[in-house]
Amino acid sequence: MASEKDVFDISGPLHITSVNWKCSHHRRSVAACLVQGAYVSELDRQHNRKGQEAFAPPWWEFFRFELTSNLVDDADSSIFGAIYEFKPASSKDSSVQDAPNFVVAFRGTIPSKESLAQDGLLDINIIQNGLHRTSRFAIAMRAVQNIVSAAKSSNVWLAGHSLGAAIATLAGKNMAKMGTLIETFLFNPPFVSAPIERIKDTNVKQGIRIASSFLTAGLSFALKDHHQERSTPDDSFAMLSSWVPRLFVNPCDFICSEYIGYFEHRNFMEKLGVGGIERLATQNSIGGLFLRALGKDSDPLHLLPSANLTTNLSPSPDFKIAHGLHQWWRPDLHLQSKQYHYG
């Protein structure tokens, strides 16, 4: 979610006087600011701010991007995303070789009466593993495919925050299944699960995860024979393994913190000698398995084979800060990054 104060304050990213496109902090900050641009564009629309009165343009112009087009929801006409094109001062500048030519960015939920109803409906679709059936995602997916067809995938970034991160995740997964790997920045991406990571007792937390792994693996094995005619989860998961999205999570944010345990638990199960159980469990969710058993199409977003997981260990006194997009362009973060590959 984004508040009025946060989305209008561009002072934070101004410490980046010149972007080093090889620097992970700069790349993360730029991606977050472009997502912020999508937030502010929608707020500009709601308040009828146009031209020089609009607050959104500095969020992309500061980094030499141009707005190619806004992505508009066909249900409520809200701006939910943006397509940006990089316009460097000089095409001969070697320092911009690692910059993206295009960035497709998606905002999250805005708690205003003009957009909350549709945003909230999409949040429910995420919980029900049904985001892939929504018209907003269909619009987003077409936009991503069109940009990739016009430019090489290596020159395109996807970025999103919260609900927008869910849309970017699904778009990135679909493109990966088609053999196209896109660099993807996912800020506070939703993980639909009980917030086990918030449990302080390590033994209790591990016990719950172990029990959940055996239950999920058992249900998956039991249902496998009933779905032989379809592509199995293992096939789909293997196709995704070479796509390594960049996840940015805060352990104090219950919406995304479960990703920490999701990936760490794999290593723990390997050490216990039951890695095979976990490899089967990590491809499935209990909710998704029940929906499949009922014959319903289910695509749990949080099931990722590989990722570069960055955790913000800086103090977060409340949920608003922990889930906020603004934390990701701060220069003084205490970050921990780990790479996870399935296999």
Side-chain angles (χ1 to χ4, degrees), residues 296-322:
K296 296 183 178 180
D297 186 22
S298 176
D299 190 358
L301 291 171
H302 61 271
L303 302 180
L304 297 173
S306 307
N308 185 312
L309 181 68
T310 297
T311 306
N312 181 9
L313 301 178
S314 304
S316 298
D318 56 41
F319 171 75
K320 179 182 175 182
I321 292 175

Side-chain angles (χ1 to χ4, degrees), residues 115-133:
S115 54
L116 184 57
Q118 181 66 1
D119 288 352
L121 184 60
L122 287 155
D123 290 333
I124 293 172
N125 272 279
I126 293 174
I127 296 172
Q128 297 175 337
N129 297 332
L131 184 63
H132 59 293
R133 293 189 292 267

Side-chain angles (χ1 to χ4, degrees), residues 261-336:
Y262 173 75
F263 287 108
E264 288 183 348
H265 185 60
R266 293 186 196 175
N267 295 341
F268 179 75
M269 294 290 277
E270 288 286 350
K271 292 177 181 179
L272 287 183
V274 287
I277 294 292
E278 182 57 23
R279 280 190 290 275
L280 183 57
T282 199
Q283 302 171 39
N284 298 278
S285 70
I286 294 177
L289 288 170
F290 276 117
L291 288 173
R292 284 175 52 209
L294 295 173
K296 296 183 178 180
D297 186 22
S298 176
D299 190 358
L301 291 171
H302 61 271
L303 302 180
L304 297 173
S306 307
N308 185 312
L309 181 68
T310 297
T311 306
N312 181 9
L313 301 178
S314 304
S316 298
D318 56 41
F319 171 75
K320 179 182 175 182
I321 292 175
H323 190 64
L325 177 60
H326 56 279
Q327 67 186 295
W328 299 112
W329 58 68
R330 286 177 48 190
D332 57 345
L333 295 179
H334 177 198
L335 301 178
Q336 181 182 75

Side-chain angles (χ1 to χ4, degrees), residues 132-320:
H132 59 293
R133 293 189 292 267
T134 65
S135 62
R136 182 179 293 191
F137 175 70
I139 294 168
M141 193 67 222
R142 283 196 299 271
V144 172
Q145 289 176 311
N146 290 340
I147 288 295
V148 170
S149 65
K152 294 181 180 178
S153 60
S154 59
N155 294 328
V156 178
W157 284 5
L158 295 180
H161 174 247
S162 194
L163 167 59
I167 293 174
T169 299
L170 189 51
K173 289 175 80 170
N174 284 356
M175 295 304 296
K177 290 175 183 177
M178 293 185 281
T180 301
L181 307 181
I182 303 178
E183 184 157 5
T184 305
F185 297 78
L186 306 173
F187 301 102
N188 303 83
F191 191 109
V192 180
S193 170
I196 301 172
E197 189 62 27
R198 302 300 300 277
I199 297 174
K200 302 301 182 183
D201 191 309
T202 302
N203 291 330
V204 172
K205 184 161 54 177
Q206 288 182 342
I208 293 173
R209 292 197 190 282
I210 291 171
S212 177
S213 292
F214 276 92
L215 175 60
T216 304
L219 288 172
S220 177
F221 186 79
L223 291 171
K224 193 171 184 179
D225 291 341
H226 297 286
H227 297 272
Q228 287 182 342
E229 73 279 3
R230 303 179 185 178
S231 175
T232 66
D234 188 62
D235 294 335
S236 178
F237 218 64
M239 285 190 288
L240 290 174
S241 61
S242 55
W243 178 55
V244 187
R246 300 179 183 278
L247 277 62
F248 301 93
V249 305
N250 189 311
C252 296
D253 175 12
F254 66 88
I255 290 177
C256 66
S257 62
E258 195 58 26
Y259 272 110
I260 300 170
Y262 173 75
F263 287 108
E264 288 183 348
H265 185 60
R266 293 186 196 175
N267 295 341
F268 179 75
M269 294 290 277
E270 288 286 350
K271 292 177 181 179
L272 287 183
V274 287
I277 294 292
E278 182 57 23
R279 280 190 290 275
L280 183 57
T282 199
Q283 302 171 39
N284 298 278
S285 70
I286 294 177
L289 288 170
F290 276 117
L291 288 173
R292 284 175 52 209
L294 295 173
K296 296 183 178 180
D297 186 22
S298 176
D299 190 358
L301 291 171
H302 61 271
L303 302 180
L304 297 173
S306 307
N308 185 312
L309 181 68
T310 297
T311 306
N312 181 9
L313 301 178
S314 304
S316 298
D318 56 41
F319 171 75
K320 179 182 175 182

